[in-house]
């Protein structure tokens, strides 16, 4: 088991799904929680299933069902990522699990949530962020919305929302003695992430016309520009002092700062910035801007990111050799998963002193 970590001693049972739930459980495990992941026999392990114990279980086998019930009875948290009703059909819905563990925090991770006209329908990150309004904000003027991989919905609005809800519920449970059922939807979490944009819109500082606002590439000082070598730099000089430094780094005159907050001046200013950036390579600009407050940085691909001095200093990417990298949590990170059966055996004293159940053909364990 894990110790000397923020979540040491927290017991989590995961019914393996896709996307945000595995990522959320990875984060809990990286923070020290003991996570045992149950999956269907022969199923593949999706991305983000690391640093925890896994076990194949055939829920048609009564021995496997007993093992799962015992794990749930000893757990603090259960995480499932299936469509509404699936866990009930498997016999491990909230009613069944609460009957054996009233302190259980039962976290249901879905795309649309447990209610509403779309609750039972399929979807993916791109669909959830589209309906929340978030995808519309990733659009250049006159262009097509561009999804940022599945980072925004699955992981930003989904997994991070899941972990926050779980930890809040565990804190509440420790005060009240009773668990709860969490209805965590990617749509909900992604919509919450748009809070600042809704505030701006309500006060007249955000337009529904895409690509015309300060933060959606409308402003020329918050955008991405091609360099002489075809690579790109990102410019984020929103504040006046930083914009002044940007002009100096780019070799542009200070007179361009006048009226820069007026959208009418943006097309001409964009042309001047773009022309200047095209005179050097990406890495030349990166070297010039690095020691300044120009807010100009190189746009790196995933392989290049691991070689960046700032990223290396923060120790957030671990080299796996041959250009492969694994992101890690720099605060409280622990990587000490043990075989699933050993982990479950360590939980069993919680079950009123029962003897550990013998191995049964309905399940197999790995770490």
């Amino acid at each position: 088991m894990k110790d000397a970590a923020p979540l040491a001693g927290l017991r989590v049972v995961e019914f393996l799904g896709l996307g945000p739930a595995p990522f959320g459980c990875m984060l809990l495990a990286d923070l020290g929680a003991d996570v045992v992941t149950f999956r269907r026999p022969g199923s593949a392990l999706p991305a983000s299933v690391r640093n925890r114990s896994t076990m194949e279980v055939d829920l048609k086998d009564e021995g496997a069902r007993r093992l799962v019930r015992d794990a749930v009875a000893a757990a603090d948290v259960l995480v499932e990522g299936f469509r509404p009703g699936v866990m009930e059909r498997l016999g491990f819905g909230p009613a069944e699990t609460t009957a054996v563990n009233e302190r259980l925090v039962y976290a249901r991770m879905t795309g649309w949530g447990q209610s509403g006209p779309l609750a039972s329908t399929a979807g993916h990150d791109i669909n959830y962020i589209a309906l929340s309004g978030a995808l519309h904000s990733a659009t250049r003027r006159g262009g097509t919305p561009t999804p940022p991989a599945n980072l925004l919905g699955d992981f930003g609005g989904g997994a991070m929302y899941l972990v926050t809800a779980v930890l809040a519920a565990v804190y509440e449970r420790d005060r009240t003695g009773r668990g709860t059922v969490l209805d965590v939807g990617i749509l909900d979490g992604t919509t919450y992430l748009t809070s600042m944009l809704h505030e701006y819109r309500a006060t007249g500082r955000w337009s529904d016309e895409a690509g015309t606002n300060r933060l959606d590439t409308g402003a020329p000082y918050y955008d991405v520009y091609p360099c002489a070598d075809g690579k790109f730099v990102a410019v984020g000089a929103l504040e006046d002092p930083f914009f002044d430094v940007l002009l100096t780094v780019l070799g542009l005159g200070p007179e361009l700062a006048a009226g820069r907050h007026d959208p009418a001046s943006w097309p001409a200013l964009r042309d001047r910035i773009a022309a200047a950036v095209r005179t050097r390579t990406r890495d030349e600009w990166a070297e010039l801007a690095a020691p300044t407050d120009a807010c100009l940085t190189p746009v790196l691909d995933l392989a290049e990111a691991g070689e960046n001095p700032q990223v290396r200093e923060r120790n957030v990417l671990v080299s796996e050799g041959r250009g492969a990298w694994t992101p890690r949590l720099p605060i409280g990170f622990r990587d000490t998963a043990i075989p699933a059966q050993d982990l479950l055996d360590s939980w069993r004293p919680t079950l009123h002193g029962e003897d550990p159940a013998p191995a049964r053909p309905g399940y197999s364990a790995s770490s």
Side-chain angles (χ1 to χ4, degrees):
M1 291 182 293
K2 303 172 187 179
D3 51 22
L7 298 184
L10 186 71
R11 298 172 174 181
V12 180
V13 167
E14 174 190 16
F15 286 78
L16 186 59
L18 297 173
F23 189 94
C25 288
M26 181 188 75
L27 179 53
L28 292 172
D30 286 350
L31 287 169
D34 290 320
V35 181
V36 61
T37 299
F38 294 124
R39 59 190 179 101
R40 294 188 303 274
S43 60
L45 287 175
S48 303
V49 180
R50 61 176 173 86
N51 196 16
R52 55 192 187 267
S53 307
T54 67
M55 175 176 284
E56 294 185 353
V57 292
D58 179 3
L59 292 180
K60 297 178 181 178
D61 178 86
E62 184 51 41
R65 293 181 65 83
R66 179 187 170 192
L67 178 138
V68 173
R69 282 195 298 268
D70 287 351
V72 170
D76 297 295
V77 179
L78 183 153
V79 177
E80 60 99 352
F82 306 127
R83 293 196 203 189
V86 170
M87 289 294 287
E88 284 80 357
R89 290 194 293 273
L90 292 174
F92 290 97
E96 294 85 357
T97 55
T98 301
V100 298
N101 185 353
E102 67 175 10
R103 290 174 55 82
L104 185 69
V105 172
Y106 194 113
R108 319 198 77 166
M109 179 77 256
T110 60
W112 303 117
Q114 297 290 317
S115 63
L118 296 179
S120 63
T121 66
H124 285 291
D125 178 294
I126 192 171
N127 307 117
Y128 312 132
I129 68 174
L131 211 61
S132 72
L135 180 56
H136 185 265
S137 68
T139 309
R140 292 184 177 277
R141 189 168 190 170
T144 301
T146 302
N150 65 332
L151 300 177
L152 178 56
D154 279 352
F155 304 134
M160 296 303 182
Y161 181 31
L162 169 67
V163 171
T164 301
V166 163
L167 296 182
V170 169
Y171 179 76
E172 180 186 30
R173 187 276 313 276
D174 288 347
R175 290 187 293 109
T176 66
R178 297 189 64 84
T180 189
V181 178
L182 301 174
D183 176 1
V184 184
I186 298 174
L187 172 65
D188 306 348
T190 306
T191 302
Y192 190 75
L193 292 177
T194 66
S195 294
M196 186 184 73
L197 303 186
H198 277 286
E199 180 183 346
Y200 281 176
R201 185 177 182 274
T203 56
R205 292 179 289 167
W206 188 270
S207 169
D208 289 329
E209 183 180 355
T212 65
N213 302 284
R214 294 178 78 224
L215 298 176
D216 64 357
T217 72
Y221 39 83
Y222 200 86
D223 205 348
V224 176
Y225 291 90
C227 304
D229 55 357
K231 298 180 180 180
F232 297 88
V233 293
V235 171
L238 288 171
E239 293 80 10
D240 290 341
F242 304 151
F243 184 73
D244 292 341
V245 177
L246 175 69
L247 293 177
T248 299
V249 169
L250 295 179
L252 297 173
E255 70 278 1
L256 292 179
R260 77 179 185 98
H261 296 295
D262 180 2
S265 71
W266 288 355
L269 180 56
R270 182 182 303 278
D271 290 343
R272 295 293 299 276
I273 294 175
V277 171
R278 283 195 297 268
T279 63
R280 296 180 186 268
T281 68
R282 180 198 67 179
D283 293 345
E284 288 173 337
W285 284 122
E287 184 177 358
L288 284 171
T292 77
D293 283 341
C295 299
L296 182 153
T297 51
V299 176
L300 305 178
D301 62 28
L302 294 178
E304 292 174 312
E307 301 293 348
N308 180 265
Q310 181 65 29
V311 176
R312 287 204 308 267
E313 171 66 25
R314 300 302 298 166
N315 198 28
V316 291
L317 282 177
V318 177
S319 175
E320 303 294 341
R322 294 177 295 181
W325 303 88
T326 297
R328 58 160 290 173
L329 194 66
I331 300 175
F333 179 83
R334 294 293 183 272
D335 186 5
T336 54
I338 65 174
Q341 186 62 63
D342 293 344
L343 178 61
L344 292 176
D345 286 346
S346 75
W347 291 7
R348 293 193 65 80
T350 303
L351 300 172
H352 312 293
E354 289 185 28
D355 294 329
R360 299 181 178 88
Y363 62 86
S364 60
S366 62
S367 60

